Amino acid sequence: MTARYDIAVIGGGIMGCATALRMAEGGMRATVLDQGDLGQGASGANAGTLSLQIKRVKLMPYALKGHHEWKAMGDAVGFRKTGGYTLAFTERESELLHERQTLKAEAGAPIEFVSNNHIRNAEPNLTQKVISASYCPEDGYANSSLTGQYYRGRLRDQGIPYRERCPVTAITQDGAGFALDTPQGEITASRILMATGAWLKPTAAMLDVDLPVNARINTVSVTERLKPLTSTVIGHATGLLTMKQKTNGTVLIGGGWQGRGTPQEGRGQVTAGSLQPNLALAQFALPALENARIMRSWTGFEANVPDFYPLVGALPGVEDAFVLGCVRGGYTIGPYISKLMGDFILDREPELPLFDPGRNFEED
Amino acid sequence: MIRLAPDQSAQIRRTEKVEFTFDGTAIWGHAGESLAAALIRSGRLHLRDAPEDADPRGAFCLMGLCQECLVVLEGQTVESCRIELQPGLDVTSLRYGADG
Amino acid sequence: MLLLCGTAQMADLIDILVVGAGPAGGNAALAAARHGKHVVLLDEQVKPGGQIWRAKDSSILSAPQTPEGSAGDALRAQITKAQIDHRGSTRIWQIERQSEGWDVHVLRDGQVERLTTKTLVLATGAHEFVQPIPGWTKPGVFGLAGATALFKQNLSPPGQRTIVSGTGPLVFFVASEIRRLGGTVAAVVTPNTRRDWVSKLPALARRVDLALRGALWIAHIMMNRVPIFWGCSVVSVEGVARVEGAEIQKLDANWAPKGETWSIDADSLCLGHGLIPSIEAPQLSGITISYRSDLGGWVPDIGQDGATSVEGVFLCGDGAGIRGATAAELHGTLAGLSAAEHLGARTAKERATLRPRFNRAARFGLAMTALSTPRPGFAMLTKPDTIVCRCESLTQTRISQEVEVGAASSNAVKSGLRAGMGPCGGKYCQTAIARFIALHENRPEAEIPPSAPRPPLRPVPMSALSANFDYDDLPIPKPAPL
């Protein structure tokens, strides 16, 4: 049995690790526990897109701050600010694009609409079938595969103990705090933070709290290395495509196409029925992909709640227990919103409002 | 010299020799054999450069797994160990520095 | 279900889909067909036979017969006679559970296709383990098992003058074949000692036929004054852009290199250190895996006669543990019968008769696996600047640095360095990396599982996956919340 921590963070993704770092800066003795390796859930499986064009209007201030965090992390997380285009191929998509990007621009994202001539010059390998497009110079990407390596290094540098392959199987609370059962022994802490992403529901259930969290099962694929074809982050007005060519030449293709499986059962599965149209759309946008081979496809579980806003605050009904989960744009916003979470637990005034996990999810 | 297992190479009958090109050089092989086999026989072992360090590479596993024997055929990267040789194939090595 | 892309549909539901047409899969298909089941047999190669009985390609008009050729021809003839629906040049890239069984997605002739089957028999065989040594990436170095593909399919030697270095019986077969096909063997180098072989005499005595054949290979090599270096290994490959020679060193009892080294000139090198079960397809079907060093490493969990914990999925052959070809044939028959039984056939009696034969054959195969499996000291052959991950040109130093800063699993090393994210999917680095992590962390290899396999099981052209896409069929979802 180890000494009691000020806080035990369950879940070693971006949010768990970044919050632990913030709290340690504030003087707390924190530990991070993960059921697998650090950064292997949604934090490590997502497509790494950092695009203001696909963020929610109300979350734009958080996303703008998130971009600054990623930029500061820089090469260590494979950050690249490339700019990004969102494409429309039909009149309907074009209307949708204008309506939505205008609202996002008003919310503070430097999004502009560009001429077809502009996009053909900037991205000559894209299909000629683009009828309108928006551009955001702030957009880019990071390499989500490096999440675990990055935070493992940060936690080690800061002397924050972490345990991998350490699933929490039961949580009990007494007057002094919490006791967590794990295969590596009991861990005790005065407070706990649940940052288990798509696994938040079973985590909270250990304290008899029902969080309305389910999982989206997003599919991501990558090609073999190709000669340079595109230099920006490419999106689609419907959100069905994200695509970027990494510096090593591979093209990463996402777009939220759904695989299947549940977090409780372990890994999600890619389905051919989702994968094929996802890749076909990518090839439609970038015809030169025709000659590429797909190397790997995988899925990541993204937490989802009925109103699609983050969960950042106190676990309802349990003193000294906290929840942090980000729905939509968690990769972009995660490093920033974790600071707000850390500040809240440290009893500091957060810079921007939190998102009460106990709210009524039916209202917006 | 005693040969318990005799050299049988002279007893093997193959299809006619056909020509193909590798990086522009004419090479012959037997129609129907694997492209990798024809390249190995011709002494063209260096088929590609490793993308990270330009280390020379060639066929290794010969069973379609290792992806070391990749070459370019009609704009597509293919495993030369799984391509059947036909006359007139225009094959290029895979050098990442050299535009694809 | 909405289908947007050109996945050709198979109208009929297959009873038993067998993946892999080697000794195991071929016999599984035959056994199931004997019980009247509708069997489809898939394989990457043009013709059945697997790696061990790989068929000659169409460039060979005639050639002297070999034991492997005869065995393969016999299997191919039986498959033809039984009118089994064999589909060659077909690669599976994804397996999905469906309500009525399994969808198996395949790539054939540049097109993808979906097959639906009630049951699956996976006989995916093995691939080779090669301990990374300095220079092993040079053109002219071939896998030891890989080289046999060249002999069997193409009847060609790997070069003019070849060094053959590796473990178990395969090293002698390869040397003998090179000479038969007109090549020159510069040396045979094997970590095994004559004493290692003597220790396997009880197992060898069970298969006098195979033992004699091995003895003949060795006698042939020795009588032709080809040097055999017992208890040694090639420890580095010389040459600039291709093999020009190799350095050989004596090994200690733990197979760590020790003492003087010497060089031999050659233009090619066959290098291999045992086989690893190819378990990706079973894993995609949801079958759990366990570490069994006696079976060649990580193997799918199977029960009697190829049954698994996943209903409707059966496994056989080297993909379920390296037991060799004879055991694979019997295991295949057993798994084919189990699959037929699952679909209502009565096969218990037949299986009971076969089981002791399988067990006997497996004992011989396992003895050969034991000779072929590297001992712990062999990891010392990999030097700090040796490339371990060929796809990403990652050296041992890069990997050890990553492990030292806490990447303590295959997944963590893969994520941090891309070891296993390249085109081979980790097939040629994962085992060496896992062994290194185990050594560094002082944990058993059984605690360092391979990364989860990800589809496609083989690279698939985008053009195949995107064929016949009609933009207007895109299911436009409700826009994401603003």
Side-chain angles (χ1 to χ4, degrees), chain A residues 94-345:
Chain A
S94 188
E95 278 168 38
L96 190 73
L97 185 74
H98 274 85
E99 179 192 317
R100 295 170 71 86
Q101 302 302 49
T102 302
L103 287 171
K104 292 177 190 192
E106 284 167 12
I111 298 171
E112 57 192 286
F113 295 98
V114 296
S115 69
N116 292 357
N117 220 15
H118 168 104
I119 196 161
R120 273 169 208 165
N121 285 327
E123 287 286 8
N125 292 314
L126 286 181
T127 173
Q128 303 291 303
K129 291 173 183 158
V130 176
I131 70 163
S132 67
S134 57
Y135 177 71
C136 178
E138 284 300 307
D139 289 0
Y141 63 85
N143 181 355
S144 71
S145 296
L146 296 177
T147 301
Q149 183 193 60
Y150 174 79
Y151 281 108
R152 196 178 289 117
R154 292 283 314 273
L155 294 178
R156 286 168 83 99
D157 288 348
Q158 300 307 311
I160 300 170
Y162 63 88
R163 289 167 198 244
E164 298 178 288
R165 291 167 295 284
C166 185
V168 174
T169 52
I171 307 173
T172 49
Q173 188 182 21
D174 60 24
F178 298 87
L180 282 56
D181 286 355
T182 80
Q184 298 182 26
E186 189 182 81
I187 288 156
T188 57
S190 308
R191 305 170 190 80
I192 55 170
L193 169 63
M194 299 176 176
T196 51
W199 285 263
L200 274 173
K201 192 181 180 75
T203 308
M206 287 190 279
L207 285 170
D208 295 323
V209 178
D210 184 31
L211 289 177
V213 178
N214 54 35
R216 283 170 53 79
I217 310 129
N218 298 325
T219 306
V220 184
S221 303
V222 67
T223 69
E224 63 193 329
R225 294 170 189 250
L226 304 168
K227 66 183 181 185
L229 293 174
T230 167
S231 56
T232 60
V233 173
I234 305 297
H236 185 239
T238 61
L240 289 172
L241 175 68
T242 67
M243 176 163 65
K244 78 277 290 175
Q245 186 168 24
K246 313 300 277 287
T247 48
N248 69 5
T250 60
V251 176
L252 201 58
I253 299 164
W257 290 78
Q258 296 296 288
R260 63 180 190 183
T262 64
Q264 287 82 347
E265 292 165 348
R267 271 175 189 275
Q269 292 164 310
V270 172
T271 66
S274 252
L275 177 67
Q276 288 185 244
N278 187 185
L279 299 179
L281 180 57
Q283 189 183 315
F284 182 87
L286 189 60
L289 287 178
E290 181 190 19
N291 288 325
R293 299 184 307 162
I294 285 292
M295 288 294 126
R296 261 173 307 128
S297 299
W298 63 94
T299 59
F301 289 119
E302 180 189 26
N304 201 18
V305 297
D307 67 1
F308 310 108
Y309 283 111
L311 304 176
V312 191
L315 182 71
V318 184
E319 208 165 321
D320 296 325
F322 305 89
V323 183
L324 174 58
C326 210
V327 174
R328 306 261 168 178
Y331 186 67
T332 304
I333 296 172
Y336 175 69
I337 213 159
S338 301
K339 289 188 165 174
L340 303 183
M341 180 85 251
D343 287 345
F344 179 73
I345 297 170

Side-chain angles (χ1 to χ4, degrees), chain C residues 405-463:
Chain C
V405 296
S409 72
S410 304
N411 256 334
V413 173
K414 176 180 170 182
S415 297
L417 295 181
R418 295 184 53 81
M421 285 190 189
C424 94
K427 290 180 187 69
Y428 290 92
C429 68
Q430 196 121 67
T431 300
I433 291 173
R435 283 182 186 156
F436 179 78
I437 297 170
L439 203 67
H440 183 270
E441 300 265 299
N442 199 20
R443 285 158 63 198
E445 252 182 279
E447 285 183 17
I448 322 287
S451 297
R454 284 167 162 176
L457 287 172
R458 302 281 185 271
V460 178
M462 284 275 281
S463 54

Side-chain angles (χ1 to χ4, degrees), chain C residues 132-153:
Chain C
I133 61 170
W136 75 304
T137 55
K138 286 188 204 305
V141 178
F142 302 97
L144 191 64
T148 70
L150 196 62
F151 310 154
K152 293 165 187 169
Q153 183 181 329

